[in-house]
Amino acid sequence: MLSKRFKLIITSLVVLLSFTAVGFVANLNDTGISIIQAAQKIKYIGKDKYDIAQEEHKALLAKKKKLTKQVDSTNNQVEDIKNQEAQKEQEEAQRSAQVQPSSSTDTSSDNTRGDMNTSQSGQIVGNKNSHIYHVPGQRGYNMNSSNAVYFQDEQEAINAGYRKAKV
């Protein structure tokens, strides 16, 4: 008897395990297929994206190299311009140093006196300290701008109390 019962229990367990195994395998098979298919899709999509990213990376490296060259070139140009400006300033300083001694030694000429050229104005220029006015071309027309008073015509200078220079 034990053997029939034992056989029945074993058979029941085998059947139960079989159904469970079949269900598990079917479920695993469905899940396994979808996992494999998904993995293949992800692998395929990932490879495409990787290839695209690799191409973008190469393009960005080339762009970075080009921009680095441009920055270096621009920096070199800036340095060249600064050097040229410094050289021009030195040349101007040398020129002004050469011009100043010659003009400072020649104080007898009235044309070189004054800190501005009042003859460029084309107006009548009066000296506010002496109340004497000068017309263009007259000696003494160039004067210190802090003393200069400008008039449109001689009558305006006379009305302001100025007299015409004798020379």
Side-chain angles (χ1 to χ4, degrees):
M1 268 252 315
L2 225 29
S3 68
K4 277 187 177 182
R5 265 186 164 175
F6 185 67
K7 284 183 183 178
L8 184 62
I9 291 174
I10 290 179
T11 308
S12 300
L13 283 174
V14 168
V15 170
L16 182 61
L17 285 174
S18 298
F19 284 130
T20 307
V22 168
F24 179 73
V25 169
N27 190 20
L28 181 61
N29 220 2
D30 290 343
T31 308
I33 290 171
S34 63
I35 289 173
I36 290 170
Q37 288 173 346
Q40 287 174 345
K41 287 181 182 177
I42 291 172
K43 185 177 179 183
Y44 181 73
I45 291 171
K47 185 174 181 340
D48 285 348
K49 287 185 179 179
Y50 177 77
D51 291 341
I52 292 169
Q54 216 172 14
E55 291 299 319
E56 287 177 354
H57 180 69
K58 287 179 185 177
L60 287 173
L61 286 176
K63 189 174 184 178
K64 179 182 177 184
K65 186 176 179 181
K66 180 181 176 183
L67 290 174
T68 302
K69 285 182 180 179
Q70 286 178 346
V71 166
D72 292 342
S73 174
T74 304
N75 286 340
N76 290 339
Q77 289 175 351
V78 167
E79 288 179 24
D80 290 344
I81 290 170
K82 286 181 181 178
N83 290 338
Q84 288 173 357
E85 288 177 352
Q87 188 177 7
K88 285 181 182 179
E89 288 176 2
Q90 288 176 350
E91 289 173 0
E92 288 177 10
Q94 288 174 351
R95 284 184 201 143
S96 65
Q98 291 172 355
V99 170
Q100 285 177 354
S102 65
S103 65
S104 63
T105 57
D106 185 18
T107 55
S108 63
S109 172
D110 287 336
N111 292 336
T112 59
R113 287 190 296 173
D115 62 347
M116 71 177 270
N117 188 358
T118 54
S119 64
Q120 292 178 352
S121 67
Q123 295 178 325
I124 296 173
V125 180
N127 186 325
K128 70 178 179 181
N129 294 332
S130 66
H131 282 51
I132 298 173
Y133 70 89
H134 303 272
V135 295
Q138 226 178 7
R139 193 175 79 178
Y141 187 74
N142 291 342
M143 67 180 69
N144 191 330
S145 63
S146 63
N147 297 334
V149 179
Y150 297 96
F151 301 104
Q152 296 297 326
D153 56 16
E154 290 187 52
Q155 188 59 46
E156 184 181 349
I158 293 170
N159 291 344
Y162 286 79
R163 70 171 178 83
K164 188 173 182 175
K166 294 179 181 176
V167 181

